[in-house]
Amino acid sequence: LSDMAREQFYWKDANYLGTPSCGDGGDIPPGGRDDEGKVLPPPDSFLLMLLYPTKVDYLRLGDNFRQVDEWEWGRGVVEDCRWKSL
């Protein structure tokens, strides 16, 4: 994880866009690291979510390629489950 990405864990306002200036985010530890350069533990407000998508809409802007895939459930057996292109 990059230092800049780790800093975002410590933003007080999740809707904040851009880089906080000295007056806006003085309490944000640079790079999410302490004075010795060690990575800080995530703050109490940090939440990790595990998502299981059932539909993916992929769009590649370079050549306007689009692909939609959907998770197809099997007959209760994991081996019968698969992604299907629509």
Side-chain angles (χ1 to χ4, degrees):
L1 192 62
S2 74
D3 286 354
M4 290 179 66
R6 196 176 309 105
E7 282 180 15
Q8 295 176 24
F9 296 162
Y10 298 93
W11 288 2
K12 291 190 180 208
D13 183 1
N15 295 318
Y16 183 83
L17 298 175
T19 305
S21 64
C22 295
D24 296 334
D27 58 343
I28 297 174
R33 297 175 183 270
D34 63 13
D35 294 333
E36 298 174 3
K38 294 180 183 176
V39 175
L40 295 171
D44 293 336
S45 60
F46 181 79
L47 173 68
L48 178 66
M49 295 174 46
L50 179 60
L51 303 175
Y52 292 100
T54 56
K55 189 173 185 179
V56 176
D57 191 343
Y58 174 74
L59 177 61
R60 187 171 55 214
L61 297 176
D63 58 355
N64 286 334
F65 172 77
R66 181 180 185 216
Q67 178 176 326
V68 180
D69 296 326
E70 192 169 51
W71 183 250
E72 189 175 78
W73 293 99
R75 290 171 249 142
V77 181
V78 174
E79 290 80 20
D80 291 337
C81 300
R82 64 186 179 96
W83 284 100
K84 175 182 168 187
S85 291
L86 302 178

